[in-house]
Amino acid sequence: SLMPELKQAYGQYLGDRLKFLVVQSGNNEMWGRDSLPFPVYLNSGLGLVDSLYPQEFEPDKQFGKAMGVPVQSTRQYFRGGNLLFDLDGNCFSENANETADLSDPVGYFKNYFGCKTVTILDQRGGIGDVDERIKFLTGKDVLTNDDSYANILKNKGYNVRRVPKTTSGSYYR
């Protein structure tokens, strides 16, 4: 187990806020952004939104129980990597995969995830997840490797920093 090493390495920064939840998956792999529930603010306080993840890794209820917060299910397949939001609740998704299949993606994101605004972007390569091209930092600072996205984000008032695309493909990790 890596827990003692992680506690030693990060405990000084996080104190007693550092918690661990061990969840077994079928192949000992885990994609945190894609498969885990989204934290949201509900009228009653913090909660989690569960979307279905196709790789048979559904620890959402376990996370809710461990955190002591309610879990609301969308009952919809959705990879978490195709939804990003800033600290003001402005949400971004690419019009690809499951977002493209939604009859009302703006309503879906507002209803389940509490988005104040929703921007649906054209898919710009990769697997169709917006987290391949955008990374929100603090405040209005954002990173992107795409000129089109940079222009859209600047027009929305963000301070955009361009990062290069990797040589391994049309997306970065």
Side-chain angles (χ1 to χ4, degrees):
S1 170
L2 292 173
M3 283 191 246
E5 291 89 356
L6 291 170
K7 284 183 180 181
Q8 183 173 356
Y10 299 107
Q12 65 180 331
Y13 305 108
L14 300 173
D16 62 356
R17 294 181 295 167
L18 186 62
K19 307 276 189 238
F20 291 93
L21 175 64
V22 178
V23 177
Q24 291 290 15
S25 69
N27 57 7
N28 277 337
E29 294 180 358
M30 182 173 88
W31 288 92
R33 163 124 29 216
D34 287 345
S35 63
L36 297 182
F38 269 84
V40 295
Y41 289 105
L42 305 170
N43 290 336
S44 58
L46 182 65
L48 298 172
V49 174
D50 165 31
S51 294
L52 303 177
Y53 189 65
Q55 281 75 8
E56 298 179 19
F57 184 67
E58 287 290 326
D60 305 69
K61 289 180 183 159
Q62 291 169 283
F63 271 80
K65 184 177 179 181
M67 296 173 68
V69 298
V71 178
Q72 175 183 347
S73 179
T74 67
R75 295 175 299 282
Q76 168 79 33
Y77 164 63
F78 188 78
R79 283 195 317 259
N82 199 19
L83 176 63
L84 292 178
F85 47 88
D86 66 14
L87 295 175
D88 293 323
N90 300 303
C91 297
F92 295 80
S93 183
E94 285 192 348
N95 191 26
N97 304 315
E98 59 281 348
T99 299
D101 293 337
L102 295 169
S103 61
D104 179 14
V106 171
Y108 174 79
F109 293 127
K110 286 184 174 185
N111 181 46
Y112 284 108
F113 300 94
C115 300
K116 292 180 181 169
T117 68
V118 178
T119 301
I120 305 294
L121 302 161
D122 290 334
Q123 182 179 355
R124 305 286 295 166
I127 64 170
D129 281 0
V130 72
D131 69 353
E132 295 175 297
R133 273 159 291 291
I134 295 176
K135 171 66 178 164
F136 286 101
L137 304 173
T138 59
K140 289 288 190 179
D141 296 326
V142 63
L143 302 175
T144 186
N145 67 350
D146 185 89
D147 290 330
S148 174
Y149 285 8
N151 290 332
I152 291 168
L153 292 162
K154 284 178 187 174
N155 288 336
K156 291 184 174 289
Y158 291 97
N159 304 314
V160 178
R161 300 281 185 217
R162 293 272 289 117
V163 295
K165 289 183 180 178
T166 65
T167 57
S168 64
S170 61
Y171 56 93
Y172 68 94
R173 296 183 187 253

